[in-house]
Amino acid sequence: MSVFGKLFGGGGKGGKGPSAQEAIQKLRETEEMLTKKQEFLEKKIDQELITAKKNGTKNKRAALQALKRKKRYEKQLTQIDGTLSTIEFQREALENANTNTEVLKNMGFAAKAMKAAHENMDIDKVDDLMQDITEQQELAQEISDAISKPVGFGEEFDEDELLAELDELEQEELDKNLLEIGGTENVPLPNVPSTSLPSRLAKKEDEDEHDMEDLQRWAMEAN
């Protein structure tokens, strides 16, 4: 019988051993049980220590018995610590083994799937296909270049001549604008009147002369 069989009650020679998950679960339950046992022993040790201190001077025999029990509990606690370390190591080893088993299983599954995917593939056919794709891409690029090239329907023009003609047209337009601006400067102004306008002084002299005539008329009327 295997170690797992002895620990967890496995079957005989023909019996099937526990799975990794079952063994891991059992080890965790054992760890919980031993941890609770540790807590119990620690409390008992504290109680025996209190009893020994309490009876140290009053009842020496009772104090010695308490210390002996305390030593036994401490020994059991040490044994449990060692057992827990062993179980923890075994559980971690099982968990790692279980993880590796799952990883290998998945890798084997992926390898089979890849093999099935490549089963109907021929490397020579793949090379031929890629070569055909490359040729078709090059052909498509050539067609695109040909379509995007300007078409003059047989007419070819010298670009320098066209640029020179454009410069001449721009210069003619500039000259025309300058002539229009110059023409506005030669527009004739209105003629200056030939007769002079009466000045302020002449107007005042006429007013004085009119006043004198009024004075003379009033004087004659008075005589």
Side-chain angles (χ1 to χ4, degrees):
M1 183 180 295
S2 64
V3 176
F4 289 129
K6 293 178 181 179
L7 288 175
F8 308 115
K13 295 182 179 179
K16 184 179 179 181
S19 65
Q21 289 292 345
E22 292 173 347
I24 291 171
Q25 183 61 33
K26 288 291 184 180
L27 289 173
R28 285 176 179 171
E29 293 174 358
T30 304
E31 283 183 286
E32 292 178 1
M33 179 190 66
L34 291 176
T35 301
K36 291 180 181 179
K37 181 68 174 178
Q38 273 185 324
E39 295 174 356
F40 172 77
L41 289 174
E42 287 173 353
K43 290 180 181 179
K44 295 295 290 183
I45 290 171
D46 292 337
Q47 291 176 359
E48 297 300 335
L49 184 60
I50 293 172
T51 302
K53 290 180 179 180
K54 184 178 180 181
N55 297 314
T57 56
K58 298 178 182 180
N59 190 344
K60 189 173 182 181
R61 183 176 180 180
L64 290 174
Q65 292 295 328
L67 290 176
K68 289 179 180 179
R69 290 192 295 271
K70 172 179 170 292
K71 290 294 184 181
R72 290 198 302 270
Y73 294 149
E74 287 177 345
K75 184 177 181 180
Q76 293 179 30
L77 187 62
T78 302
Q79 292 174 345
I80 291 175
D81 287 339
T83 303
L84 279 173
S85 297
T86 302
I87 292 175
E88 183 179 0
F89 175 80
Q90 190 177 20
R91 176 177 54 79
E92 290 176 353
L94 275 172
E95 289 174 345
N96 291 333
N98 187 50
T99 301
N100 293 335
T101 301
E102 291 297 323
V103 170
L104 290 174
K105 185 187 298 182
N106 293 333
M107 290 177 66
F109 180 78
K112 291 179 180 179
M114 186 177 295
K115 183 178 180 181
H118 294 162
E119 187 174 0
N120 296 325
M121 289 187 182
D122 187 351
I123 188 62
D124 294 332
K125 292 181 179 179
V126 173
D127 290 338
D128 293 340
L129 177 60
M130 295 306 298
Q131 186 175 358
D132 291 340
I133 292 174
T134 303
E135 291 176 357
Q136 293 301 319
Q137 288 178 343
E138 293 175 354
L139 178 60
Q141 185 63 40
E142 292 176 1
I143 293 173
S144 298
D145 294 340
I147 292 175
S148 62
K149 188 179 297 181
V151 178
F153 299 101
E155 295 181 359
E156 295 183 358
F157 301 99
D158 188 351
E159 188 173 355
D160 294 335
E161 292 181 359
L162 294 176
L163 290 174
E165 184 177 353
L166 180 61
D167 291 338
E168 291 178 1
L169 293 175
E170 291 177 352
Q171 186 62 40
E172 290 178 2
E173 186 67 20
L174 180 60
D175 294 341
K176 181 180 179 181
N177 293 335
L178 291 175
L179 289 174
E180 290 178 356
I181 295 172
T184 56
E185 295 178 353
N186 298 326
V187 175
L189 297 176
N191 295 327
V192 179
S194 58
T195 59
S196 61
L197 297 175
S199 64
R200 185 181 295 273
L201 181 60
K203 183 177 180 181
K204 182 166 180 54
E205 290 177 353
D206 291 341
E207 291 176 354
D208 293 341
E209 185 178 355
H210 182 69
D211 292 340
M212 289 299 294
E213 290 177 354
D214 290 339
L215 287 173
Q216 290 176 1
R217 187 173 63 253
W218 292 341
M220 290 177 65
E221 291 176 355
N223 292 330

